[in-house]
Amino acid sequence: MWESSVWCALKVVLGLYLLYYLYRISKFIYEMWILPVWKKPIDLKSTGEWAVITGCTDGIGREYAIQLAKKGMHLILISRSESKLEEFQIYLSNEYNIKVRTIAVDFTNIKSSYKTVEEGVSGLDIGVLINNVGMLNGYKLFLQDDYQVMSDMVEVNVNGTVLMTSIILPHLVTKKKGVIINIGSYSSLVQTPHMVCYGATKKFILKFSEDLRREYANCGITIQCQTPSFIATKLSRIESPSIFVPTAEEYVASAMKTIGIHDVTCGYLVHDLMIATNRIGEETLPSFSNYLTSKYIDSIRKKSGH
C-alpha cells in the first residue's frame, strides 16, 4: 500500500514536470516561429529620419549602420576614433546617398561629453537609438584583471548606455514613437566565469531595458534588449565564424527581424536555442549545465588566443 502511494505520487510529480517542459518547448516554438508570422518587425525608417549608433566603427555597430543606411536612414555615428568615423562617414555617404554626422567621444569618460552629444543631435528627427558601444577586456580571472580597466568597462558599458538614453529618450517621448535597442549579452543570462565584470555590466543593461520599457509602455516607444552570445568581431577577438559564432553581418540581419516582436532576445536563433537549453539544464542538472557553459567559454578563450 505504501509503495503504491509513493509510486502514484512519483507519477504525479513526473507528469507535472513533463507538462511544464512541454509548456516551455511550446512557448519557445510559439515565440520563435509562430509569433513572427503575424507580428511583423518595425519599419525603423517610419520612426524618424535619423538613427543614432554608438560604437559604430567595428562589429555589430558598424553592421547596424550599414543596414540602416540601406534603408535610407540618415545616421549619427558616435565612437572614439575620429579618423575611423570620418572614413566610415565618407563610405556611407557615397555608397548609400545619405546624410551622416559624426561625434567623436571617449566613452571611458562619457560624463564630460554630455553637452557635445546633446548639441550634436539637437534639432534632428531621431527615431532610433542603438546603444552598442561596449568594452570587453579578454577572458580573465577577476584577480588577474586590472582595476582601472574594469572601472573603464563599467563606465563604457553602463554609463554610456544611460547617458545616451537620457539624451535621446526625450526626443522619442515628444514624438510618441521610436526605437531603442540596447545591446546586452548572453553573459547576462548565464554564468560566465572569466568575464565577471563584463557579465555584470550586461546584467545591468538587461534590467535597465526591462524596467525602462515598463516606465514608457504607453509612449509608443519600443525598447528592446538584444543578448547575443559570441560573435566573430574585434570585441570578442574571434576570427573564425561558425553556426554558433556568426559574423556581425549575419547577426544584425537576423536581429533586425526581431525588433518589435521580442522585448528580450538573443537576436539569433542558435543563440536563443542555447539559452533555452541552458535554462532547462539549470533547472534539472545545474552542475552539469554550468560545467558545459564553462567548457564553452573555455573553447572561446582558446579561439581568441587567451
Side-chain angles (χ1 to χ4, degrees):
M1 182 69 177
W2 180 82
E3 291 181 353
S4 177
S5 298
V6 171
W7 176 239
C8 287
L10 183 59
K11 286 195 293 185
V12 170
V13 171
L14 291 173
L16 290 174
Y17 263 103
L18 178 61
L19 287 174
Y20 172 69
Y21 287 117
L22 284 174
Y23 161 75
R24 291 285 296 273
I25 293 170
S26 300
K27 183 173 180 287
F28 182 83
I29 292 173
Y30 170 76
E31 290 176 346
M32 293 297 107
W33 285 289
I34 298 176
L35 185 60
V37 171
W38 63 270
K39 192 174 182 181
K40 302 300 181 184
I42 291 175
D43 177 8
L44 297 181
K45 192 177 180 181
S46 69
T47 64
E49 295 182 352
W50 292 81
V52 180
I53 308 172
T54 66
C56 52
T57 55
D58 293 293
I60 292 175
R62 182 180 179 87
E63 284 303 322
Y64 261 114
I66 291 172
Q67 292 294 329
L68 293 179
K70 288 179 179 179
K71 292 179 177 294
M73 291 196 76
H74 304 311
L75 302 175
I76 304 169
L77 306 179
I78 305 178
S79 196
R80 182 176 59 179
S81 173
E82 192 166 354
S83 59
K84 284 187 176 182
L85 283 171
E86 290 178 356
E87 181 182 345
F88 196 30
Q89 177 186 33
I90 293 170
Y91 166 74
L92 291 171
S93 300
N94 293 339
E95 184 72 17
Y96 301 105
N97 193 30
I98 60 168
K99 298 176 184 177
V100 182
R101 292 190 180 185
T102 64
I103 306 174
V105 300
D106 181 2
F107 276 90
T108 61
N109 187 24
I110 189 62
K111 299 181 189 71
S112 65
S113 300
Y114 189 97
K115 288 186 177 179
T116 301
V117 176
E118 190 176 41
E119 292 172 359
V121 302
S122 178
L124 300 179
D125 178 23
I126 297 171
V128 177
L129 166 64
I130 300 178
N131 281 313
N132 168 73
V133 68
M135 179 178 172
L136 170 63
N137 186 36
Y139 309 94
K140 300 179 180 180
L141 292 172
F142 178 78
L143 293 179
Q144 293 177 341
D145 216 336
D146 179 80
Y147 168 75
Q148 187 57 53
V149 173
M150 290 189 288
S151 178
D152 287 346
M153 191 184 303
V154 173
E155 180 76 2
V156 173
N157 296 3
V158 173
N159 292 336
T161 295
V162 174
L163 179 136
M164 289 304 307
T165 303
S166 69
I167 292 174
I168 302 301
L169 184 58
H171 293 257
L172 309 185
V173 170
T174 299
K175 299 191 332 175
K176 292 192 178 299
K177 66 177 180 178
V179 171
I180 296 176
I181 301 170
N182 294 325
I183 305 299
S185 169
Y186 186 89
S187 62
S188 68
L189 303 171
V190 302
Q191 296 183 35
T192 49
H194 297 279
M195 299 167 63
V196 173
C197 277
Y198 179 79
T201 63
K202 292 303 184 178
K203 190 73 172 180
F204 175 93
I205 297 301
L206 176 60
K207 174 70 171 172
F208 177 74
S209 302
E210 291 179 323
D211 289 349
L212 195 69
R213 185 187 315 113
R214 292 183 178 92
E215 281 193 10
Y216 292 91
N218 299 320
C219 294
I221 301 168
T222 296
I223 300 173
Q224 184 193 57
C225 184
Q226 295 178 2
T227 58
S229 182
F230 296 100
I231 298 171
T233 63
K234 182 179 177 181
L235 181 71
S236 68
R237 306 183 188 182
I238 301 172
E239 297 180 355
S240 303
S242 67
I243 189 172
F244 296 103
V245 184
T247 63
E249 182 179 3
E250 291 171 331
Y251 174 75
V252 171
S254 172
M256 287 189 68
K257 296 175 184 176
T258 71
I259 300 170
I261 298 176
H262 303 301
D263 294 330
V264 178
T265 176
C266 291
Y268 180 67
L269 180 59
V270 175
H271 292 175
D272 282 306
L273 282 168
M274 289 165 60
I275 283 292
T277 303
N278 179 273
R279 284 177 172 168
I280 291 176
E282 285 187 337
E283 293 170 358
T284 53
L285 297 168
S287 296
F288 182 63
S289 178
N290 292 334
Y291 168 77
L292 290 178
T293 301
S294 295
K295 294 295 288 184
Y296 176 59
I297 294 174
D298 283 341
S299 69
I300 294 297
R301 287 175 61 210
K302 291 175 182 176
K303 286 183 180 179
S304 66
H306 281 75

